[in-house]
Amino acid sequence: MGRKKEMIAMLLAGGEGKRLGVLTKDLAKPAVYFGGKYRIIDFTLSNCTHSGIDTVGVLTQYQPLELNRYLGIGSPWGLDRRDGGMSILPPFVKQKGGVWYKGTANAIYQNMAFIESYDPNYVLVISGDHIYKMDYDLMLQHHKKSGADITIAGIEVPWKEASRFGVMHVDDEDRITAFEEKPKNPTSNIASMGVYIFTWSVLKKYLIQDEASRNSSHDFGKDVIPSMMRDGLHLSTYAFRGYWKDVGTIESLWEANMDLLDDKPSLDLADKDWRIFSVSPNRPAQYVACGASVSSSMVTEGCIVEGDVERSVLFFGVTTGKNSIVSESVIMPNVKIGEGARVYRAIIGEGAVIEDGVCIGSPDDDAITVVAVGEFVSNEPMLLEVEPS
């Protein structure tokens, strides 16, 4: 039985990440590498740490092995504690076997006993596949001050992207007057960030009600929130004006990594007051050979650079051969790029080998080329995954 908590976090980390293609073939989306030395889930976990949330349930499902191994007992994020801390919550196993999480709301429903053991006043529901820095405590203060039953973090997105998200209409007092989940023709560009604070007594009632509905897809955006709207509950929005990226597609993952290389990046990873915590690979310092060049790039420990690297992100253990060029690319850990190889606008999966003289992508093409984890790329004809830009 846990000690009573004002608010606990439930972190949804079971995403299959189909739109990330070969990068998530054997890997849950929150465990995908990002920004030279992090994984995507590091951002929400670090937000919890900085926001004073010491009890986090991580709900895993798709390909969880590497993610579970990475999370361990939560030490890098200060969540290795007896009173709360991090708990990995896979789909619940009953005597007759396990049941997959049917949707985001069902995932929380299956873990109501875990939540009840802490008797929280509020429950924060967050996703493990977004890149942003946010103080959830400020959002909680907003929720309490407004007297809302649910507060949804909202951010203005470009109109052309609004159909990817749940969108909200909001009045002058931050009250949500309409909510549409991924509309074909959006009438608002205020997008839900998938960050919710619920008053637990209210959420509990709606989870039980939703589970009993045969017509429900058991999803917060499609079912639970519209149901709350219909019943006239108080739904509030919390306006977020920082950097936020849903890295659910190849293009958005590539763009988010490139954003880090701006002269004044919107997402400051060097912010000493809001560090992003992660599991450190503990490698030797990077080495840049005589005759090599590196510009506008992130090169992490354990890298050996003998060619030219420009506007790229190199994760730990990457080697680039003599006379090679790596440009506008994201190179995952332990990739080997041979002599004279050319890599343009690409994401190269962990442990891939690019043989001498191979050319991937083109400096004249806007498409993003993806090489699978562990792929061996020679000059023989082969099929690469290309994301049109």
Side-chain angles (χ1 to χ4, degrees):
M1 187 70 171
R3 179 172 59 84
K4 179 173 173 61
K5 305 281 184 181
E6 182 180 32
M7 182 166 78
I8 70 168
M10 299 295 277
L11 198 167
L12 299 165
E16 191 172 345
K18 286 181 180 175
R19 292 174 301 164
L20 290 177
V22 292
L23 294 177
T24 49
K25 180 172 170 283
D26 300 305
L27 189 67
K29 185 163 61 165
V32 169
Y33 289 100
F34 177 80
K37 60 184 304 174
Y38 307 102
R39 299 197 190 228
I40 297 170
I41 198 171
D42 287 334
F43 287 80
T44 35
L45 286 173
S46 297
N47 288 344
C48 287
T49 301
H50 289 296
S51 304
I53 297 169
D54 62 8
T55 305
V56 181
V58 181
L59 286 67
T60 61
Q61 180 153 289
Y62 172 80
Q63 295 286 11
L65 290 180
E66 186 167 349
L67 177 60
N68 290 352
R69 193 160 46 231
Y70 179 74
L71 294 174
I73 58 171
S75 303
W77 307 277
L79 293 169
D80 51 338
R81 54 179 69 215
R82 288 182 182 175
D83 180 21
M86 179 190 290
S87 299
I88 307 291
L89 303 170
F92 196 72
V93 178
K94 300 172 184 173
Q95 283 185 324
K96 294 179 182 177
V99 181
W100 281 86
Y101 292 141
K102 293 178 283 189
T104 52
N106 174 258
I108 305 298
Y109 172 84
Q110 285 198 38
N111 288 285
M112 287 203 322
F114 170 81
I115 297 172
E116 291 276 61
S117 71
Y118 292 100
D119 189 24
N121 298 329
Y122 310 100
V123 173
L124 169 72
V125 177
I126 46 181
S127 173
D129 51 13
H130 298 153
I131 301 293
Y132 65 115
K133 297 193 294 189
M134 182 179 182
D135 189 338
Y136 301 132
D137 187 57
L138 293 178
M139 184 174 169
L140 176 60
Q141 302 314 315
H142 178 89
H143 179 78
K144 286 156 67 170
K145 187 176 178 182
S146 70
D149 299 298
I150 168 180
T151 298
I152 304 174
I155 189 168
E156 285 191 24
V157 296
W159 278 95
K160 63 178 182 177
E161 291 182 26
S163 59
R164 284 178 55 201
F165 307 102
V167 296
M168 303 175 283
H169 286 261
V170 180
D171 69 14
D172 293 340
E173 295 180 341
D174 296 325
R175 193 160 186 150
I176 299 168
T177 56
F179 183 93
E180 296 177 280
E181 179 68 8
K182 298 181 181 175
K184 284 185 179 177
N185 300 301
T187 54
S188 167
N189 70 330
I190 300 175
S192 163
M193 295 168 59
V195 177
Y196 312 114
I197 291 180
F198 293 94
T199 297
W200 172 234
S201 57
V202 176
L203 175 60
K204 181 180 175 183
K205 173 187 159 188
Y206 275 84
L207 289 177
I208 294 168
Q209 184 178 299
D210 178 74
E211 188 63 21
S213 171
R214 291 185 176 181
N215 301 322
S216 177
S217 56
H218 309 296
D219 182 83
F220 280 119
K222 292 176 188 167
D223 307 290
V224 174
I225 293 169
S227 181
M228 290 177 163
M229 288 287 301
R230 285 192 299 271
D231 290 350
L233 267 62
H234 183 170
L235 280 73
S236 179
T237 188
Y238 175 73
F240 181 72
R241 294 183 175 83
Y243 181 94
W244 178 79
K245 197 92 163 179
D246 176 352
V247 286
T249 65
I250 292 294
E251 189 170 16
S252 61
L253 179 64
W254 179 84
E255 284 175 354
N257 276 281
M258 293 300 108
D259 287 345
L260 299 173
L261 305 177
D262 294 341
D263 289 341
K264 291 184 178 178
S266 305
L267 181 70
D268 182 10
L269 294 181
D271 183 354
K272 291 176 183 174
D273 295 325
W274 202 277
R275 285 181 56 206
I276 304 302
F277 303 106
S278 69
V279 178
S280 174
N282 196 16
R283 298 288 186 96
Q286 63 269 66
Y287 172 73
V288 180
C290 179
S293 72
V294 177
S295 64
S296 299
S297 297
M298 286 183 167
V299 181
T300 316
E301 59 259 47
C303 289
I304 298 174
V305 178
E306 295 188 286
D308 294 343
V309 176
E310 56 184 31
R311 197 162 169 74
S312 293
V313 175
L314 273 58
F315 285 76
F316 57 85
V318 170
T319 61
T320 71
K322 292 178 180 175
N323 302 314
S324 64
I325 295 175
V326 176
S327 175
E328 292 193 310
S329 294
V330 180
I331 315 297
M332 301 293 190
N334 301 317
V335 168
K336 291 181 169 47
I337 296 172
E339 290 190 21
R342 303 282 191 268
V343 179
Y344 302 103
R345 286 179 70 91
I347 299 178
I348 312 295
E350 181 177 9
V353 176
I354 313 300
E355 278 215 308
D356 296 354
V358 169
C359 188
I360 290 175
S362 163
D364 304 317
D365 191 349
D366 282 345
I368 299 159
T369 307
V370 183
V371 174
V373 173
E375 191 78 61
F376 188 91
V377 186
S378 67
N379 273 315
E380 297 296 315
M382 65 167 292
L383 192 64
L384 297 175
E385 183 169 330
V386 176
E387 172 87 1
S389 182

